[in-house]
Amino acid sequence: MSLFPRPRLVLVATAAAVLTLAACTSREETASAPAGGGGPAASAASATPTSGGCTLAKTGYPKLDPKTAVIGFSQSEKEANPFRIAETQSIRDEAAKLGIPADHLLTTNAQSDLNKQISDIKSLLDRGAQLLVVAPLNSDGLQPALDAAKAKQVPVVTIDRKVTSQPCADYLTFIGSDFVQQGKRAAQEMARVTGGSGKVAILLGSSGNNVTTDRTQGFKDELAKTPGLSVVAEQTGEFDRSKGQAVMEQLVQSHPDLTAVYAENDEMGIGAVNALRTAGKAPGEDVKIVSVDGTRNAVQLVADGSYNAVIESNPRFGQLAFQTLQQFADGQPIPASIVISDDQYDETDAAQKVGNAY
């Protein structure tokens, strides 16, 4: 299979379990744990030119077949977030599809602790991992773990978040979305659903990673084209539903004339929905909400009219990650960055496409 299939819009895979949010106002509520499902995997929309790309010969690493090697997967955050659940499951599903024995897939979860993720990766290496797939917690700080992998000549593919280290030197490649473009698309939807005027709050993701930086930059740059919309507040909710709800509760008090919210992931957006309902406001009507992810819960809210738009960020990297490792093993050049295609949901199609969300 080619690493670069013809660009297309990709829908995120179905999750097995769903929360009913119509009456959800509790700050402590957590996401349900959807299972794998069989929805479409992430597919490459674009990548840097392969000429001069990273190759087995350039790195001098041993040739290993991913189907028989020991694979290590380092997850960064607790799997209460549907994105993380679907991401990890996609790795497991693809390994099973390739016939990789269960004891050849080693997984860890850093529980949102950078030091733990460094220790996790070193532990995977000590346990015999010969290839690594890493979902970094932060863009900075993983160098000690990457150095350990390099010392053992273990190729590393990063997914979802970029690291500031050097591709082909410290890791092979990054596979993920164009986060700046996601922010721009969210701003375009915000301009559409608000009619081009209003006061906007931004629920920022966690600091220290390129996802938050890029989604913020893209949104603000694009929003500047709509002078009737102004950002009146921005505060981090750390990609967490309960924290997003807490922040939104404060913003409703400090900015009672707020008319729109841009949440940099669905979990914070759902937290905002809960806070607005508690404050007696109608989310999706009194306050417009646009977010990024594509979780089933958020897409269902769009279908129900309590949310306005969701820009997808596909978490199902398993197929593309293993495919990339295989092509590296086969001596093919690997680009420094592999950008995937992402769909979006709005009031015109959410009800029809909710089954494709995760």
Side-chain angles (χ1 to χ4, degrees):
M1 181 184 294
S2 169
L3 180 61
F4 312 115
R6 185 173 64 185
R8 62 185 178 88
L9 291 177
V10 180
L11 302 180
V12 187
T14 304
V18 186
L19 284 176
T20 301
L21 293 175
C24 294
T25 56
S26 171
R27 182 181 304 173
E28 298 304 319
E29 183 185 4
T30 58
S32 57
S43 87
S46 65
T48 52
T50 56
S51 59
C54 192
T55 64
L56 194 66
K58 279 187 178 181
T59 62
Y61 286 179
K63 180 174 182 176
L64 294 168
D65 186 345
K67 295 188 291 294
T68 57
V70 177
I71 310 290
F73 173 59
S74 169
Q75 178 57 273
S76 58
E77 298 177 4
K78 62 183 180 181
E79 291 171 8
N81 183 327
F83 183 97
R84 297 298 168 189
I85 297 170
E87 184 176 61
T88 297
Q89 192 61 44
S90 76
I91 299 294
R92 296 185 189 276
D93 288 347
E94 187 64 17
K97 180 180 176 182
L98 294 173
I100 295 172
D103 61 355
H104 277 45
L105 179 63
L106 312 176
T107 63
T108 59
N109 191 303
Q111 302 291 318
S112 300
D113 184 327
L114 179 61
N115 288 329
K116 185 176 186 308
Q117 185 162 41
I118 293 171
S119 296
D120 284 349
I121 293 171
K122 290 180 177 179
S123 172
L124 289 170
L125 294 168
D126 290 341
R127 292 163 61 191
Q130 298 166 294
L131 301 169
L132 286 174
V133 179
V134 175
L137 177 63
N138 294 330
S139 295
D140 295 315
L142 276 184
Q143 194 61 48
L146 297 177
D147 287 343
K150 185 176 181 179
K152 292 194 173 185
Q153 293 190 304
V154 173
V156 178
V157 167
T158 64
I159 58 175
D160 171 35
R161 293 176 182 170
K162 282 186 176 180
V163 292
T164 53
S165 304
Q166 292 299 311
C168 200
D170 302 310
Y171 67 102
L172 294 186
T173 186
F174 159 75
I175 303 173
S177 299
D178 183 334
F179 305 115
V180 172
Q181 186 62 26
Q182 287 177 342
K184 289 183 176 180
R185 292 169 66 192
Q188 291 165 359
E189 285 300 289
M190 184 65 76
R192 181 183 68 81
V193 301
T194 60
S197 64
K199 296 182 178 181
V200 183
I202 301 177
L203 298 182
L204 301 166
S206 54
S207 59
N209 68 76
N210 71 305
V211 180
T212 297
T213 301
D214 290 354
R215 285 180 184 168
T216 304
Q217 176 192 330
F219 184 80
K220 287 184 173 180
D221 288 350
E222 188 68 22
L223 202 72
K225 300 176 183 178
T226 308
L229 286 170
S230 60
V231 176
V232 297
E234 50 187 292
Q235 189 171 334
T236 182
E238 298 182 19
F239 290 131
D240 180 80
R241 184 186 302 192
S242 63
K243 292 177 181 178
Q245 182 171 338
V247 170
M248 194 68 223
E249 288 169 351
Q250 297 169 9
L251 292 176
V252 168
Q253 296 297 320
S254 59
H255 297 276
D257 56 348
L258 194 69
T259 58
V261 174
Y262 166 48
E264 293 186 342
N265 82 336
D266 287 352
E267 284 295 282
M268 293 189 297
I270 293 169
V273 168
N274 295 339
L276 289 167
R277 285 177 173 161
T278 300
K281 295 181 180 289
E285 297 179 18
D286 298 334
V287 179
K288 307 296 185 183
I289 302 175
V290 176
S291 67
V292 181
D293 260 351
T295 65
R296 192 179 180 101
N297 292 331
V299 175
Q300 185 62 57
L301 285 172
V302 176
D304 295 342
S306 297
Y307 220 88
N308 301 95
V310 174
I311 307 302
E312 183 192 66
S313 193
N314 194 334
R316 298 192 179 269
F317 298 105
Q319 180 177 319
L320 200 49
F322 280 98
Q323 181 182 323
T324 301
L325 288 170
Q326 185 65 62
Q327 294 191 329
F328 176 73
D330 291 342
Q332 299 182 38
I334 304 302
S337 182
I338 302 169
V339 178
I340 67 171
S341 295
D342 292 313
D343 196 19
Q344 68 184 61
Y345 305 84
D346 60 32
E347 74 282 0
T348 69
D349 60 11
Q352 291 73 39
K353 297 196 297 186
V354 67
N356 294 310
Y358 55 90

